[in-house]
Every structure is written in C-alpha cells, then in structure tokens.
Amino acid sequence: MSKKILIIGGVAGGASAAARLRRLDEDAQIIMLERDEYISFANCGLPYHIGDVIGERGSLIVQTPAAMHHRFRIDVRTFSEATAVDTVHKTVTINSAEKGVYQESYDSLVLSPGAGPFVPNFPGNHSARACTLRNLPDMDRIKDVVDSQSLKRAVVVGGGFVGLEMAENLRDKGVDVTIVEAAPHVMPPLDGDMSVILEKELQDNGVHLVLGDGIKSIEDKADCSVVETASGKQLEAELIVLAIGVRPATAFLKDSGIALGPKGHIIVDDQMRTNAPDVYAVGDAVQVKDFVTGAETAVPLAGPANKQGRIAADVICGLDSHYKATQGTSILKVFSLAAACTGANERTLKAKGIAYRKAVAHPFAHASYYPGATQIDAKLLYDGQGRILGCQMVGKEGVDKRVDVVATVLRLGGTVEDLTELELAYAPPFSAAKDPVNMLGYIAQNDLNGTSHLVDWDYALNRDPAATILLDVRTPREFGLGHAEGALNIPVDELRERLSELDPAKEIIEYCQVGLRGHVAYRILAQHGFRAVNVTGGWKTYAQTHFTPKA
Ligand code: FAD
C-alpha cells in the first residue's frame, strides 16, 4: 500500500522534502499544505526586488503548485493552514480557504512551517506604516510604497541580514534610511570589530545609524510616523521596516505533544525526527546542534532548511541520512562589501567559556601587483590544539570563496595546519601564491608553535606602561599618520641596530600596519632574547575597530 505523507509548509524545507520524497518513492501520496498563496519562492531575493536589482517579480517564484504537480505529482494545497496536529490518531486539522475546516490523516508528517518576523509589544507596533518582510505579499506591499514616490524617509529597525539588505535596497532607491539597532553593532553573527567595517560602509553610503538604542514606540501623524527610541531620539519616516528577528511558527503544535524547546522550536534528533511517531521537522522551526559548541541553537538559514528537508525525506524512505549540526555559514552584501562568517564568534566562545586564540589579517584578495587588488579583513578563531572554531571576513572581493574554504575545513574537523596545506587555485587576477586562507593558517600556526606570539589590541591598550614597551615598527611616515598612544617608533628595518633603545626587562608589545612586519620584528626581538608579542592585525585593525559611527 502506498504511504501517505503530509508536509506542512511549502517553501524551503517543505518543498525540498516533497521533491526528494517523490524522487525516492514513486508511489507515495504526497500532500503539501501551505497557508499562503505561494510555494517555493525565493525569500532570499525579496529585498532585491524591492530595490529593482531583481527586475522580474516572477523570477522569485521557483515553483508553482501546477508545476510541482506536473513534475512530481505532489498534491499542493495553498491557502490551507494546519491548525492542529493529533499525533495519537495521526491527523492534521486544516483550515482551507476552499474547503473550510477538515482533517487529513498521515502515515508520515513533515513539519516545515518556518519562522515568522518577531514584532515586540510596543505602542504603535501595528502602525499602518510599519511592515515586516517574509513573503511575496509583504514584498509587494513595501514595493508599492517605495515606488509610490511619496516615500522619502524609512526607518529600518534591526541591523541583521534582512535589515541591512532592506537598508541598502531602499537607499539604492533614493530613500533616506536610518537603521535603529538595540545591540552595540549591526550584524550580530560578526564580532563588533568586524561589524564596524560594515557600519562605516553603511555611513559612507548615506545610511544613518542609531546603535545601542532600541525602538520604544511609533506614533502615526497625518503624513508620516515618528519612531521614538529608548533613549528618546525621534525619527520621522513614511515607512518603518521591522526586522528584529524571527520566532518559530509553531503555535499550532501547542497541544500536539510534540516537544518544543524554550523558544518554541521543535526538538528533533539527528534524523529530523520529533518525539512523536512518524513526525519529522525541518528548517527555521527546529532546534539544532551548534557544530562548534555542541549547544542547542536555532539558525534560520536557507541551506540548513533545504538539507534538512532532504534528510527527512531520506529517513522516511528508509535511507540512513543524518543532520549533524549547523555551523551558521552565512554571507551578506552591504553596498560594495561582502561580509561572511562560519562557526562561532568571539562573543559565543566567551559566553560558552571556550578558550580560543585569534589571528587577524588583511591580505589582498588577489596579487597586489595585478590591477584592482583590494584587501580582505579576516579573522580566524582556533583553540590551543589548532582546531578551527570560527572565521569572519569582510571585503570587496573573494570573501565568499575564502569563508567557504574555511567552512569546509571546519566541517571536516580540520586545523590551522590544514589551512597551511590547502592547495588553492592561483593566478594573479584571482589570488596570491599564498592564498589568504593559507596566510591565516600560517599566522595561526606560528602562534601555536611558538615562532610567534599574538595578542590583540585589548591586550595592548590595557598594558601596564611600567612593565611594557609599546613598539610601532612601521615607517616614520606611517607612524606620523596615526599611532597608538605612548608608542615608540622603531621601523623594522632599523630594529637590529637600535635594540639598545629597548629595556630587556620589559615586555615589548609591537605592531605594524597589518601584522606581517610585526612578525618579522617579533622574530628579531625573540632571537635577541626579548620578551615580545605581536598585535594581530596591526594598526589597520586598530583604525577600523576605533571607527565611531556618526551620531
Ligand atoms: P519557510 O521557507 O519560511 O517556509 C515556511 C512556510 O510554511 C511558509 O510559506 C509559511 O506560510 C508556511 N506555514 C507556516 N505555518 C503553516 C501552517 N500552520 N500551515 C500551513 N503552512 C504554514 N537565508 C539564507 O541562507 N540566505 C539568505 O540570503 C537569506 N535571505 C533571506 C531574506 C529574507 C527577506 C528572508 C525572509 C529570509 C531569508 N533567508 C535567507 C532565510 C531563509 O529564507 C529561511 O531560512 C528558509 O526559507 C527557511 O525555510 P523553512 O522551510 O524553514 O521556512
């Protein structure tokens, strides 16, 4: 007898599961329930249609119910909301625009309801000028306002992926945009020292930033609304985009007996099984293991949702597929920059009490002598045994492939040693003979094998002046353009001749522009018996980290 499989949610995880199920089981009866009008659309492309980067609205619709039926014989039911699941009798209650309320039985059930935008409770949160962006109707509504010519000012609340993409696309349409972010920096997956690079880019492109200040209220006036922040700032806007984060859309599972985590995410095992027999769950709505820390987490990204959908289908069809963990590899475009990361950041590692070391570098994305070379700002986090814990990069070129390479090594349990051994494609227009990924590996390898000793600017700036010397080994010209307070300047090329100027009883904390000359200086000092440390990332890191967004 053929198996009857119900799927709740018809976009990333749900559609992926449906197609895979059909490819594995030609006889199964597969029903996909979607409460909205569209299935399998490209949520990730929504901000770019608002900004007219993606001109054709239809190109965002990857599959239609008719096409899904034509190719896969999937019974797609749109405007059909699952309102309850009875895991004892194995039925789902459905509220359908066409058929009214009815029940459907299942042999297997796949839950992929995703996560909806979180709108906190504050005065005016239902303002007609406030919106969220999750699906095509949301997009159409925002695009209508943007294209109406009446939109001059927008406030984007939340500086995460969706907030920053919206800010850029609205700015590209000539709108005056202010981002309000409650955290000290935009882009929470990055550490603050990397986010500041994006903040500068946003400001250079005319986006106003209000950081460390959350939304308090929205007051509607005749021709605009006033967003008031916790600190009392008042921002007038004709459009307010609330991009504050998402919450799993699992309210309909409340009485189902399906176990949920503390924030409402569905708890699954490594084969996407819930605690209820024959019920599987995937995507933004599930709780997963963090690949680096092993902690329970939720990572609302398209890659994991698609993979988990496929795995749930495999397991339903008897294949032994597993979903091990999520490492949060992600990337974002911010005007001319790309920002990408994988694994844990410093904040997470500190919060989990995981000891780590870090290497910061600013390598050129391709050979510096080949036209158009730009620098990548890169940070690698690793433990005392060299296991890679995380990586973050920001730059104009080549960020995607470098983070993907590190993500791959991380996924395979690799070490900084492995990064040094990678043989990557090189010709001057594309990379350097020592690729930025190799360079990060070398820096970390030196740090671990004792041929270097890296510290960060926190260490350098909180030094005891009586017991240390802060040494800038750049040229006098570079020194003159800006240096750390209290630093002594001895260029690396004069260091051997001027060692007598340094007190051997003191620790020498030295830095250069990006860390490379600092390493040469470290080697000279160490081999002459000095206790030295090299500030990773050098002055460039200091200058970037100490960028203060304009008020
Ligand atoms: P969804 O794709 O959201 O699908 C869930 C579906 O279930 C929805 O259509 C919903 O209507 C339906 N549903 C919910 N409850 C019910 C119910 N009770 N009954 C019937 N149907 C129900 N990720 C990236 O990795 N990269 C990106 O660049 C990126 N950009 C994004 C940009 C935007 C604007 C948004 C909103 C998301 C973006 N994402 C991105 C996230 C990515 O889209 C999600 O992680 C992914 O879609 C999650 O898949 P899912 O199947 O869990 O949920």
Side-chain angles (χ1 to χ4, degrees):
M1 216 178 87
S2 74
K3 209 178 208 181
K4 182 173 174 186
I5 306 165
L6 289 194
I7 299 169
I8 299 177
V11 190
S16 184
R20 176 75 172 167
L21 280 165
R22 175 57 74 224
R23 290 195 294 271
L24 294 177
D25 186 346
E26 190 58 16
D27 297 326
Q29 181 190 358
I30 305 170
I31 301 170
M32 193 163 81
L33 305 168
E34 169 54 55
R35 70 176 167 198
D36 290 336
E37 182 180 353
Y38 299 96
I39 58 155
S40 199
F41 63 90
N43 346 37
C44 310
L46 303 179
Y48 297 99
H49 182 57
I50 292 169
D52 284 334
V53 178
I54 299 172
E56 189 56 53
R57 180 184 187 277
S59 62
L60 296 172
I61 300 167
V62 184
Q63 275 283 10
T64 62
M68 207 66 183
H69 185 262
H70 187 65
R71 173 148 316 159
F72 296 109
R73 296 294 184 273
I74 309 270
D75 176 358
V76 179
R77 302 183 190 171
T78 54
F79 295 119
S80 298
E81 178 167 14
T83 54
V85 175
D86 180 340
T87 54
V88 177
H89 300 98
K90 296 178 96 172
T91 59
V92 173
T93 304
I94 300 158
N95 189 355
S96 152
E98 194 189 332
K99 298 191 211 164
V101 176
Y102 67 100
Q103 292 192 329
E104 198 69 69
S105 65
Y106 63 81
D107 296 315
S108 298
L109 174 66
V110 180
L111 306 169
S112 187
F118 172 58
V119 179
N121 207 2
F122 59 80
N125 62 355
H126 287 111
S127 160
R129 293 196 184 89
C131 61
T132 55
L133 179 63
R134 179 75 199 173
N135 53 30
L136 286 158
D138 293 341
M139 177 193 77
D140 293 338
R141 200 178 137 218
I142 297 174
K143 190 156 172 56
D144 279 351
V145 179
V146 173
D147 293 347
S148 70
Q149 309 293 325
S150 63
L151 177 62
K152 301 276 178 279
R153 298 158 297 178
V155 169
V156 175
V157 185
F161 288 97
V162 176
L164 295 190
E165 287 177 354
M166 278 307 301
E168 175 174 342
N169 280 285
L170 289 169
R171 193 71 202 108
D172 284 350
K173 295 287 286 178
V175 179
D176 186 71
V177 180
T178 302
I179 296 175
V180 173
E181 167 59 59
H185 293 287
V186 299
M187 261 313 265
L190 301 182
D191 289 313
D193 55 354
M194 303 299 282
S195 293
V196 287
I197 305 167
L198 301 183
E199 287 159 11
K200 182 168 185 313
E201 178 74 0
L202 287 161
Q203 292 204 327
D204 287 350
N205 284 279
V207 176
H208 314 290
L209 297 177
V210 177
L211 302 178
D213 199 359
I215 186 166
K216 189 171 141 203
S217 64
I218 300 174
E219 189 192 341
D220 288 336
K221 300 234 164 110
D223 51 3
C224 71
S225 296
V226 180
V227 174
E228 183 167 336
T229 67
S231 75
K233 281 195 185 65
Q234 301 214 328
L235 306 162
E236 290 189 345
E238 294 82 35
L239 176 73
I240 300 137
V241 181
L242 300 173
I244 303 171
V246 293
R247 293 285 183 277
T250 53
F252 71 104
L253 300 174
K254 194 163 55 77
D255 301 319
S256 66
I258 294 171
L260 303 178
K263 291 184 178 162
H265 296 92
I266 306 165
I267 296 175
V268 289
D269 67 9
D270 70 346
Q271 293 197 303
M272 311 319 297
R273 284 193 191 91
T274 70
N275 63 320
D278 299 308
V279 180
Y280 301 75
V282 305
D284 287 3
V286 303
Q287 196 169 287
V288 289
K289 275 223 171 340
D290 181 295
F291 187 82
V292 173
T293 67
E296 296 300 327
T297 185
V299 182
L301 289 171
N306 278 276
K307 289 184 185 71
Q308 292 161 6
R310 180 184 164 95
I311 288 168
D314 282 0
V315 176
I316 290 169
C317 295
L319 296 177
D320 189 29
S321 297
H322 294 260
Y323 188 81
K324 295 189 187 109
T326 295
Q327 65 196 83
T329 308
S330 55
I331 186 159
L332 171 77
K333 175 181 176 302
V334 180
F335 294 98
S336 71
L337 295 178
C341 62
T342 188
N345 59 26
E346 290 192 63
R347 270 195 323 279
T348 304
L349 294 171
K350 277 182 190 145
K352 298 283 175 206
I354 298 173
Y356 67 91
R357 300 194 58 77
K358 74 176 156 193
V360 178
H362 307 278
F364 281 96
H366 67 248
S368 57
Y369 56 81
Y370 186 87
T374 55
Q375 281 169 290
I376 294 175
D377 301 304
K379 173 155 76 169
L380 182 73
L381 304 171
Y382 47 95
D383 69 13
Q385 283 68 52
R387 179 186 162 228
I388 297 165
L389 302 174
C391 179
Q392 301 165 44
M393 293 193 197
V394 177
K396 289 185 192 298
E397 181 204 344
V399 162
D400 49 352
K401 70 171 170 173
R402 271 51 181 252
V403 166
D404 279 348
V405 167
V406 178
T408 307
V409 177
L410 193 160
R411 173 60 63 160
L412 298 176
T415 62
V416 300
E417 204 76 32
D418 294 314
L419 297 186
T420 68
E421 290 174 17
L422 291 177
E423 193 178 309
L424 302 169
Y426 160 63
F430 303 102
S431 183
K434 286 177 187 159
D435 186 88
V437 170
N438 298 136
M439 287 308 299
L440 281 174
Y442 289 131
I443 296 167
Q445 184 187 49
N446 285 338
D447 181 42
L448 290 172
N449 69 18
T451 51
S452 175
H453 186 155
L454 300 178
V455 294
D456 63 12
W457 276 106
D458 277 348
Y459 182 91
L461 298 175
N462 293 313
R463 74 199 173 95
D464 173 3
T468 59
I469 295 170
L470 188 58
L471 179 65
D472 185 322
V473 298
R474 298 175 301 158
T475 63
R477 185 174 167 278
E478 290 172 294
F479 187 77
L481 290 172
H483 58 263
E485 202 182 320
L488 168 73
N489 182 216
I490 303 179
V492 63
D493 294 339
E494 298 172 16
L495 190 56
R496 288 183 185 87
E497 288 70 42
R498 295 177 57 184
L499 289 173
S500 59
E501 294 176 35
L502 300 171
D503 180 349
K506 292 186 174 177
E507 181 185 50
I508 319 284
I509 303 172
E510 46 86 8
Y511 68 89
C512 66
Q513 183 63 18
V514 296
L516 192 56
R517 281 173 287 170
H519 178 57
V520 177
Y522 173 88
R523 295 304 306 151
I524 294 170
L525 291 167
Q527 292 181 72
H528 283 86
F530 288 90
R531 261 185 318 121
V533 291
N534 181 20
V535 183
T536 190
W539 180 251
K540 187 164 168 47
T541 294
Y542 177 94
Q544 282 170 340
T545 314
H546 290 75
F547 160 74
T548 315
K550 286 173 245 153

